Amino acid sequence: MTLSRRAVLGAGLALSACDHRELSLTAPSHLPPLKDVAQFPVGTCVRSDFLADPAYAALVEAQVSQVTPEWEMKMEYIVGDDGAFRFDAPDKIAAFAKAKGIRLFGHTLVWYIQKPKGFLNLDEAKTPFATAYRNYITTVVGRYRGQVVGWDVVNEAVADEGDGWRDSLWSQKLGKLEHMTLAFHHAREADPDAVLFLNDFYLELKPKKRAEFLRLAEALLKAGAPLTGLGTQTHCGPELPPGAIKAALADIASLGLPIHISEMDVSPARARGLFKSRAELEAGQARVYAEAAEAFSQLPARQRFAFTHWGLRDKDSWLKHEDPTDTPLMFDDQGRPKACAAAWERGLR
Ligand code: G3I
């Protein structure tokens, strides 16, 4: 029985990452900037309105070397109901990144959740859907060519439980796989250098979804799509079983492409009922962050594209809309590093 390249590579990475570290639960009095302790770019998501806050802007500048617009580079912001485009907010983020010498990551071009009226109300007799689709992608990617280092070209295309690929406006109009291969080709046409990602979530939690994600990636490559990176969002919780992230990264790395941990946060609130105490919740959170840091650090350097936290201060997290008491990120509301930040930093060593 010949082992596939994926099996051999993946097994090596999974086996090599089985040591555990003592996790201190006290918040560190001092921690070097995240970007200074990592051997790879460290990122966070940002919003243009938050950048007006000097404390927020200073924390971003101090801690990370890459930023991802949290929502203002998506169709929901850019595409007006009349089909016109607006770029004021993403341009502000791009200008901030340029001024601070921070890499800019583009998120996201095609997402099943986003189906703006500008496309839904398209007069296809005047403008064929495929033309509007190509125009959107080439306009947005072309606008930031030379600054954006990578794009989430297709986001969350795999069904929640891994049973095939999601249905969407894009798949209905342009084909299940074809709308994705087209998106990658249009992005490459507009930017010859950016790394072009397929991005998805729960790849560490759901091995069946991860397998389907990798099957989709292989199908795209086979179809000639210029897919050149794989993003694993890593929105997870302290209850995630030990080893799940290491196994997922080993598996995803088996295709040999650059990997982006693209949106990590670890939500204690969502797991509250599974732990006996706050201290145990926070210990679990620290363990998961440490494992992600360790597993990502053990990837070959050419596959360590970036490690992005989906926010820096707890109060800025999208998860606050679900539970205002949630504390999923590396820094507290005052921008001070938490115990999980120290655990993440130790996981890099
Ligand atoms: O800030 C405006 C506010 O001025 C306006 O009054 C209000 C009206 O709706 O919108 C506010 O913007 C919201 C924005 O978050 C900032 O809070 C948008 O409506 C809302 O759609 C947007 O949600 C974002 C969501 O993606 C959808 O784009 C979240 O911030 C963002 O964290 C979330 O991120 C996603 C990733 O893109 C993909 N992976 C999952 C992840 C979490 O859902």
Side-chain angles (χ1 to χ4, degrees):
M1 177 187 77
T2 52
L3 280 176
S4 73
R5 180 165 65 102
R6 274 176 56 183
V8 172
L9 266 174
L13 278 167
L15 288 173
S16 71
C18 287
D19 62 323
H20 296 280
R21 285 170 168 73
E22 277 308 304
L23 294 172
S24 143
L25 274 187
T26 51
S29 55
H30 171 71
L31 201 72
L34 303 183
K35 66 185 180 185
D36 292 349
V37 295
Q39 301 298 312
F40 41 79
V42 179
T44 186
C45 62
V46 293
R47 292 170 41 179
S48 66
D49 51 333
F50 284 6
L51 290 174
D53 166 5
Y56 175 86
L59 185 69
V60 171
E61 182 180 2
Q63 294 295 334
V64 302
S65 50
Q66 178 175 295
V67 290
T68 301
E70 184 166 11
W71 73 288
E72 292 157 307
M73 225 177 231
K74 295 171 184 170
M75 285 185 176
E76 68 176 292
Y77 185 87
I78 293 174
V79 185
D81 291 353
D82 60 354
F85 300 161
R86 63 172 173 166
F87 291 104
D88 55 334
D91 284 356
K92 273 186 200 151
I93 294 171
F96 171 85
K98 194 168 197 166
K100 304 297 181 187
I102 292 174
R103 297 180 3 152
L104 180 63
F105 186 81
H107 173 80
T108 178
L109 297 172
V110 178
W111 189 15
Y112 77 97
I113 284 181
Q114 312 248 317
K115 34 186 185 292
K117 290 192 178 77
F119 275 96
L120 289 171
N121 303 336
L122 186 69
D123 173 359
E124 294 190 49
K126 194 166 148 236
T127 310
F129 192 91
T131 302
Y133 186 74
R134 176 180 174 279
N135 178 56
Y136 175 76
I137 293 172
T138 54
T139 300
V140 175
V141 174
R143 187 178 186 88
Y144 301 103
R145 172 179 174 172
Q147 186 177 5
V148 163
V149 291
W151 276 99
D152 281 335
V153 175
V154 173
N155 189 44
E156 302 180 7
V158 175
D160 279 339
E161 297 309 321
D163 299 309
W165 310 334
R166 293 184 194 278
D167 193 30
S168 68
L169 169 67
W170 322 110
S171 67
Q172 288 157 18
K173 287 287 188 182
L174 299 168
K176 271 257 177 189
L177 184 68
E178 295 75 11
H179 84 279
M180 295 189 248
T181 51
L182 279 171
F184 280 96
H185 283 301
H186 296 336
R188 180 56 75 227
E189 174 193 344
D191 187 332
D193 304 316
V195 183
L196 302 181
F197 284 84
L198 179 70
N199 189 50
D200 220 320
F201 67 97
Y202 286 173
L203 304 183
E204 66 291 324
L205 185 67
K206 300 182 177 184
K208 184 180 171 193
K209 182 173 185 180
R210 180 168 77 235
E212 187 57 42
F213 175 80
L214 292 172
R215 270 194 294 275
L216 171 56
E218 289 178 323
L220 285 166
L221 292 168
K222 190 171 175 210
L227 165 67
T228 55
L230 298 175
T232 178
Q233 294 181 13
T234 321
H235 293 290
C236 49
E239 76 287 1
L240 187 69
I245 292 179
K246 286 177 184 171
L249 286 187
D251 209 7
I252 298 166
S254 65
L255 265 65
L257 293 175
I259 293 175
H260 184 196
I261 287 188
S262 53
E263 307 179 17
M264 188 164 188
D265 45 34
V266 183
S267 168
R270 286 181 167 183
R272 191 173 289 124
L274 306 174
F275 289 77
K276 293 192 208 81
S277 69
R278 177 97 203 136
E280 287 192 359
L281 266 170
E282 290 178 353
Q285 181 185 46
R287 175 188 60 76
V288 171
Y289 270 119
E291 178 178 327
E294 188 178 335
F296 194 76
S297 300
Q298 287 167 352
L299 290 173
R302 61 180 170 75
Q303 287 190 274
R304 299 194 299 249
F305 176 79
F307 193 124
T308 294
H309 297 278
W310 209 237
L312 292 176
R313 299 177 308 187
D314 284 332
K315 69 178 182 179
D316 302 328
S317 172
W318 66 290
L319 288 163
K320 286 290 194 182
H321 296 297
E322 187 177 294
D323 182 333
T325 68
D326 208 352
T327 53
L329 297 173
M330 296 265 108
F331 297 85
D332 68 16
D333 290 355
Q334 288 68 45
R336 293 172 305 208
K338 294 158 50 182
C340 58
W344 184 84
E345 193 262 339
R346 266 196 306 285
L348 299 175
R349 293 180 198 158

